Amino acid sequence: MAPPAKYLLVSLPTSISPSNQRDEALTALRSAVTTDYGTVHPFNIPHFKVGTLDTLVQQAEELSKLETACEGVVAKIGDSLRNILEGDEEKIAQSKTVNDRRVDQYLRNFTWNKVKYRADRPLAELIDLLQKEVASIDNDVKSKYNQYNQVKTNLTNQQRRQTGNLSTRSLTPIVNPSVLVQDSEYLETHLIAVPKQLVKDYLKTYEILAPMVVPRSSTELTSDEEYTLYAVTVFKKHGSEFVHKCREKRWIPREYKHVDGGREEEQKEIDRVGREERKVWNEALRLGRTGWSESVMAWVHVLALRVFVETVLRYGLPLEFVCGLVETTPKLAKKAKYSLDSAYSYLGGNAFGRDKKGRVTKDSSEVSTEMAAAGHVGDSGDYSAYVYYDFEIN
């Protein structure tokens, strides 16, 4: 099994290269990371319509919240798939694709979906569209998954009624209607499941448990490892009192009414619920796969917007930048980030310095604090000298 991947989205001004050309800047980015710590892929982001500075700052905040929401939806759908597939890692991995491709393949070849999210539309409209889309995906998958859980619980209960002990299982295939007093004006039969360790006490006391219990009317119908089932005849007017006293004794009264053809009807219901469970399982799995794919795509588009907005805020106009996706591992991500900091800390001005050994250090002065307050910080809360976001899609 391949090690988990971690991705770094990095945007740098093309001025990092002598020629100020995008291709050369991407080559410089690759040299800074080196193949020891990760692989750099071009990550193409369109140039969107830019509003005022205040609007961009507000949109940066909205996109930060939206990205958190996207990550949460992807995680929730992933959990749903895990439950639907009962933790089968191979099947889960097969279900987690993006447009029928592995996540790494989708990210390596990312292109902005210009049909769904037209680049000539204002940023505010694109953000609103993505917010609504993610909320809709979340609601659809959640609704179907809840439906599946309800049907599954119903089926489990039906099956338990066929296989459980005598305190819970269906009595339809067990009780012969001939043992029941039926159509009597005064008498009725109660079925009592008695724990094995309480049988002696039951046989000694059931006749005096309540008034007007028919003497010697108790009949053993069947037993299992935990309970013995008895039928007892009681006068109707004292039936409720008898049932109440049985519960006090920790004997379990079982409600049962004989219906002609009950066994067949019960089996038909189990078969029907079983078919429904399989149908809804397929629907939930299909919607879960689609929802995971669509929510990942939405998440990556939100990340692209975050990079773009932050790039404008950091480097200004005209837009001359290069964006790269660094594919690495959680273990190597810190080293990749350190290599980037070493190469491009100068972009942060006074926020970064170097110690006597030439290693990059972060300045804790007011300059760094002011930059953090302006919103130029990563999701971890640390200021970065360049546009930087990291994420994992599991």
Side-chain angles (χ1 to χ4, degrees):
M1 188 175 177
K6 185 163 187 171
Y7 300 96
L8 319 178
L9 264 180
V10 180
S11 172
L12 295 162
T14 53
S15 60
I16 62 170
S17 66
S19 67
N20 205 38
Q21 294 297 312
R22 185 178 175 279
D23 290 343
E24 191 174 332
L26 186 63
T27 301
L29 173 57
R30 287 192 172 110
S31 299
V33 174
T34 77
T35 54
D36 293 335
Y37 302 140
T39 305
V40 178
H41 308 280
F43 193 86
N44 298 315
I45 300 176
H47 287 196
F48 301 98
K49 289 183 177 180
V50 177
T52 64
L53 178 61
D54 287 345
T55 301
L56 283 170
V57 171
Q58 181 182 348
Q59 288 168 342
E61 185 177 343
E62 290 174 0
L63 285 165
S64 176
K65 293 177 181 177
L66 180 54
E67 195 215 330
T68 301
C70 290
E71 185 176 3
V73 170
V74 170
K76 280 191 289 183
I77 297 175
D79 288 341
S80 297
L81 284 170
R82 179 172 298 278
N83 291 330
I84 291 168
L85 295 169
E86 298 179 338
D88 188 319
E89 293 296 339
E90 185 177 349
K91 290 182 179 178
I92 293 168
Q94 291 171 354
S95 297
K96 288 184 173 180
T97 58
V98 184
N99 261 0
D100 297 322
R101 291 181 290 174
R102 296 197 315 267
V103 172
D104 58 341
Q105 293 173 334
Y106 171 73
L107 291 171
R108 290 170 192 166
N109 301 283
F110 173 77
T111 54
W112 183 268
N113 189 334
K114 295 180 180 179
V115 176
K116 201 171 188 180
Y117 315 109
R118 283 172 45 192
D120 60 349
R121 299 174 72 174
L123 281 172
E125 287 187 20
L126 292 173
I127 294 170
D128 183 60
L129 178 62
L130 283 159
Q131 284 174 332
K132 290 177 179 176
E133 181 183 5
V134 171
S136 176
I137 294 168
D138 186 27
N139 288 333
D140 289 347
V141 175
K142 187 191 303 179
S143 175
K144 182 57 68 174
Y145 182 61
N146 287 340
Q147 181 189 359
Y148 168 67
N149 276 336
Q150 290 171 359
V151 175
K152 183 181 178 182
T153 299
N154 188 10
L155 178 61
T156 300
N157 290 338
Q158 294 277 3
Q159 291 171 336
R160 187 180 294 125
R161 283 174 55 81
Q162 301 303 310
T163 59
N165 60 44
L166 288 168
S167 69
T168 57
R169 69 179 298 180
S170 170
L171 299 180
T172 301
I174 295 172
V175 177
N176 190 318
S178 64
V179 304
L180 304 174
V181 176
Q182 302 184 71
D183 302 322
S184 170
E185 187 177 350
Y186 302 105
L187 300 174
E188 61 186 6
T189 301
H190 291 271
L191 302 176
I192 311 296
V194 181
K196 283 289 186 69
Q197 67 272 24
L198 300 179
V199 165
K200 286 185 179 180
D201 180 50
Y202 166 80
L203 292 173
K204 285 182 181 179
T205 60
Y206 81 88
E207 293 179 348
I208 58 173
L209 199 63
M212 304 186 77
V213 176
V214 176
R216 300 181 182 178
S217 63
S218 179
T219 303
E220 180 180 335
L221 302 183
T222 188
S223 63
D224 59 23
E225 293 182 357
E226 298 176 67
Y227 292 89
T228 300
L229 184 68
Y230 291 95
V232 185
T233 304
V234 181
F235 276 76
K236 285 184 177 179
K237 66 178 182 179
H238 293 288
S240 297
E241 182 181 355
F242 178 77
V243 168
H244 177 70
K245 291 293 180 69
C246 284
R247 291 197 176 102
E248 288 182 346
K249 285 275 196 176
R250 290 184 295 132
W251 310 338
I252 301 175
R254 296 296 314 276
E255 291 188 12
Y256 175 75
K257 186 175 182 180
H258 174 71
V259 177
D260 289 336
R263 294 187 188 186
E264 292 76 12
E265 288 301 318
E266 207 167 71
Q267 188 58 50
K268 283 182 182 179
E269 178 63 10
I270 293 171
D271 294 341
R272 184 194 68 78
V273 175
R275 289 192 299 271
E276 184 182 5
E277 189 268 349
R278 181 49 50 181
K279 173 177 172 288
V280 178
W281 181 89
N282 282 316
E283 292 172 353
L285 179 59
R286 185 167 59 251
L287 193 58
R289 285 171 171 166
T290 304
W292 197 85
S293 173
E294 291 180 349
S295 59
V296 167
M297 286 190 284
W299 182 8
V300 177
H301 279 75
V302 169
L303 277 164
L305 286 179
R306 286 196 77 182
V307 170
F308 176 82
V309 170
E310 184 65 17
T311 295
V312 177
L313 290 172
R314 289 288 189 106
Y315 310 138
L317 299 172
L319 284 169
E320 296 178 348
F321 71 99
V322 64
C323 183
L325 175 79
V326 182
E327 184 178 356
T328 182
T329 66
K331 187 176 180 180
L332 294 175
K334 287 184 179 180
K335 293 181 179 179
K337 179 68 165 65
Y338 183 79
S339 295
L340 289 166
D341 287 344
S342 298
Y344 304 117
S345 61
Y346 68 88
L347 294 171
N350 293 332
F352 282 79
R354 293 183 183 269
D355 61 17
K356 293 180 180 179
K357 294 183 179 180
R359 292 175 301 195
V360 176
T361 59
K362 293 182 182 179
D363 188 1
S364 58
S365 65
E366 291 182 4
V367 174
S368 182
T369 304
E370 288 174 3
M371 288 180 174
H376 303 310
V377 294
D379 292 328
S380 62
D382 293 332
Y383 171 73
S384 180
Y386 45 88
V387 178
Y388 168 90
Y389 296 105
D390 59 55
F391 63 100
E392 296 178 56
I393 302 177
N394 300 315

